[in-house]
Amino acid sequence: MDEVEVVVAHSERATLRVGDVFLKVDSDQARIDAEVEAMSLAPVPTPEILWRRPPVLAIAAVPGAPLGRLGGSSTGSSSAWAAAGAAIRKLHDAPLPPRPGGAGRSVVALTAELDDECERLVADGLLPTDLVHRNRQVAQSALRPWTPVFTHGDLQIAHVFLEGDEVTGIIDWSEAGQGDALYDLATFTLGHEERLNDVLSGYGSGYGTGTATGTGNATGTGIAPDPTLDVIRGWWSLRSLMAVRWLSEHGFDPFAPGCEVDVLRSRM
């Protein structure tokens, strides 16, 4: 009989693996609904849905292996990272899904949340004041109008599987929806800045059409903007600042080598 492996577990959700089946247990039914919908619409390889009985979603394992993980070594060839970039571009160029995702918060809401988080990080003594303030300055470049595209919303490298140089599956779509393309690119390269050029070589550029609005959301064709390094750096800082306290409170270690706190230190 296959053993039950706990892949991840915290107060909001848990993922278990039994053989080649993953069981996702989520307290938020809307999040499962969004994940199922996104996988049905995404023009890239996604896991097969085996069955669904709320609050459990059963999906099949995808072939291949993840490209790497935050805090781990930079695995995969340059062409593998470029292939991942091309898959991300294919997603971003797809027709917009019906709802906003984790990468789709407005600039106004995100700024308020970020400033509150920075204050709490300093007040609680979790991070040094100068580290927080410097990264808050860097993060400002991400807080600008953007053209919405189909985003994954939590595109960690551990969520992208490859066999050789071929993307075989992208998992964990609960944060998918309309959002900022550069958020996905920053999340994917977080802690692996040296791989950004490889990713962008596959992703491509020169398609920055669409008309941005001043609210942080935008109207346009759904085609991704040209990647901008300063904005990606801003997202590295912003995502890390926003994650440190949550990770610490849910049993993860953002202070581990190569993880979020090291990302913040690299901006000093």
Side-chain angles (χ1 to χ4, degrees), residues 1-261:
M1 183 174 181
D2 292 321
E3 293 184 354
V4 177
E5 174 191 355
V6 179
V7 179
V8 63
H10 50 77
S11 60
E12 295 178 1
R13 69 185 85 166
T15 300
L16 311 175
R17 180 170 187 168
V18 185
D20 288 332
V21 177
F22 287 87
L23 303 175
K24 304 191 73 170
V25 185
D26 201 312
S27 62
D28 186 345
Q29 186 60 41
R31 195 157 46 207
I32 290 291
D33 291 342
E35 181 160 13
V36 170
E37 178 184 62
M39 286 193 290
S40 71
L41 297 173
V44 294
T46 62
E48 176 190 0
I49 297 174
L50 301 175
W51 51 265
R52 182 184 180 194
R53 296 170 192 164
V56 182
L57 173 67
I59 60 176
V62 299
L67 190 53
R69 62 179 179 83
L70 182 62
S73 59
S74 180
T75 59
S77 64
S78 293
S79 56
W81 284 83
I88 297 169
R89 184 52 178 264
K90 187 174 183 180
L91 175 67
H92 289 173
D93 284 348
L96 290 174
R99 68 185 82 195
R105 285 171 289 180
S106 74
V107 168
V108 173
L110 192 57
T111 299
E113 187 178 351
L114 175 62
D115 287 342
D116 179 66
E117 192 65 30
C118 288
E119 290 179 9
R120 296 184 67 175
L121 288 169
V122 172
D124 295 346
L126 198 57
L127 292 177
T129 301
D130 60 342
L131 184 65
V132 173
H133 286 178
R134 169 56 183 157
N135 278 276
R136 176 60 184 86
Q137 293 174 341
V138 176
Q140 186 62 36
S141 64
L143 300 171
R144 87 283 177 228
W146 42 267
T147 300
V149 300
F150 192 154
T151 52
H152 180 280
D154 190 21
L155 199 62
Q156 304 173 46
I157 58 171
H159 292 164
V160 180
F161 284 65
L162 292 93
E163 283 186 334
D165 295 340
E166 179 184 356
V167 175
T168 55
I170 299 177
I171 66 172
D172 286 355
W173 292 82
S174 60
E175 300 296 324
Q178 298 181 28
D180 180 2
L182 300 189
Y183 179 91
D184 268 358
L185 290 171
T187 300
F188 187 66
T189 54
L190 185 73
H192 293 282
E193 182 173 350
E194 75 283 358
R195 292 296 194 172
L196 180 59
N197 285 340
D198 293 332
V199 174
L200 295 184
S201 71
Y203 186 86
S205 61
Y207 295 91
T209 61
T211 304
T213 70
T215 63
N217 295 317
T219 58
T221 64
I223 295 180
D226 290 343
T228 303
L229 184 56
D230 284 345
V231 176
I232 291 175
R233 287 183 179 132
W235 275 123
W236 286 336
S237 289
L238 196 156
R239 180 180 168 88
S240 297
L241 286 169
M242 297 285 282
V244 167
R245 192 168 55 84
W246 186 94
L247 291 169
S248 298
E249 292 174 353
H250 287 79
F252 303 99
D253 186 9
F255 292 86
C259 293
E260 284 80 3
V261 175

